[in-house]
Amino acid sequence: MAGSLRSLISEDQLQARIRELGLQIRADHPNETLTLIAVLKGSFMFLADLARAIPGDVRIEFLGVASYHGGTRSSGAVQITQDLRGSIEGHACVVVEDIIDTGLTMDYLMRMLEVRGPRSLKIATLLDKPSNREIEVRVDYVGYAIPDEFVVGYGLDLGELYRNLPYVAVYSP
Ligand code: IMP
Ligand code: MG
C-alpha cells in the first residue's frame, strides 16, 4: 500500500509499558481470577503481551468488533462480528482495546457488557487519542496517550495491513 510510516512507539517502549500495566492490573485485583476481554482484531498483539505480564490466574475471551470498514475515520456504527463464548456474570473483567479515539466503540461495548452482570468491568487500552473524544469514556489503564494522528502496527491496521509491525507507526498517505 502506498504511503509512509514513521515510528512513534518502539518495540522496547511498548514492552516496558505493558510490563508496568500488567503489574498494575494485578495490584488492583489481588487474588482475583481476571477475565481479559480482547476486542478483535486490533488488540490481539497487546492481549498476548499483556496477558503474559499479569501474574496469577487469567482467563481470555474474545469479542469481535468492526467499526471502520477500511477507512481512517470511525463510522460510529459498531458491529459485533463475534460475541463472547462464556458468561462474564460475577467475573472481574478487563476489556483490552488497541486504541480509543472518538470513544464511540468503547461506550457501546461497555453498555453491552455491563448488563451481563460482571463483578467489575475495567478498560485497558494500549493507545488513547484523548483530543478526538466525542463521548466520555472512563479509561482505567492507558499504555500511551498519542496525538490525533492515524497509527498502524502492533495489531492496528489500515485496510487489514500493517498489523504485524512490532512497533506503532504514524501512517501518512
Ligand atoms: P472509536 O470508536 O473512534 O473510539 O474507535 C475505536 C476503534 O477505531 C479502535 O478500536 C480501532 O480499531 C480504530 N481506530 C481508531 N483510531 C485508529 C488509528 O489511528 N489506527 C487504526 N485504527 C484506529
Ligand atoms: Mg479496535
Side-chain angles (χ1 to χ4, degrees):
M1 201 178 268
S4 63
L5 300 176
R6 169 172 57 84
S7 176
L8 182 67
I9 308 170
S10 73
E11 192 171 355
D12 284 350
Q13 287 174 308
L14 288 172
Q15 296 303 326
R17 183 69 185 122
I18 291 167
R19 275 194 295 275
E20 290 177 352
L21 287 178
L23 295 176
Q24 190 187 343
I25 289 171
R26 173 49 72 201
D28 290 348
H29 305 83
N31 306 316
E32 281 184 289
T33 297
L34 281 165
T35 300
L36 302 183
I37 301 176
V39 182
L40 296 177
K41 297 177 191 171
S43 73
F44 79 97
M45 216 174 268
F46 179 38
L47 172 79
D49 287 332
L50 184 65
R52 283 177 283 190
I54 301 175
D57 288 345
V58 166
R59 304 154 67 110
I60 310 285
E61 287 282 343
F62 294 106
L63 187 59
V65 168
S67 58
Y68 255 30
H69 315 295
T72 60
R73 297 296 309 170
S74 185
S75 65
V78 180
Q79 185 193 348
I80 302 298
T81 57
Q82 184 193 309
D83 204 343
L84 304 178
R85 283 288 176 87
S87 165
I88 57 166
E89 193 176 344
H91 291 219
C93 299
V94 180
V95 179
V96 179
E97 178 61 297
D98 53 358
I99 185 166
I100 299 180
D101 185 20
T102 62
L104 294 170
T105 303
M106 191 51 78
D107 179 67
Y108 179 91
L109 294 181
M110 293 307 275
R111 283 186 283 120
M112 170 186 144
L113 294 171
E114 261 156 14
V115 297
R116 299 183 184 190
R119 175 161 75 242
S120 59
L121 184 60
K122 297 204 173 148
I123 299 173
T125 187
L126 179 70
L127 304 174
D128 187 14
K129 286 187 202 169
S131 61
N132 212 25
R133 208 67 104 244
E134 288 177 23
I135 190 161
E136 194 188 319
V137 177
R138 173 191 48 75
V139 188
D140 302 282
Y141 308 101
V142 176
Y144 288 94
I146 62 170
D148 184 16
E149 295 185 281
F150 194 79
V151 291
V152 297
Y154 197 73
L156 292 106
D157 76 308
L158 173 60
E160 292 301 326
L161 289 180
Y162 307 119
R163 292 194 197 275
N164 58 321
L165 296 178
Y167 56 93
V168 172
V170 173
Y171 176 89
S172 314

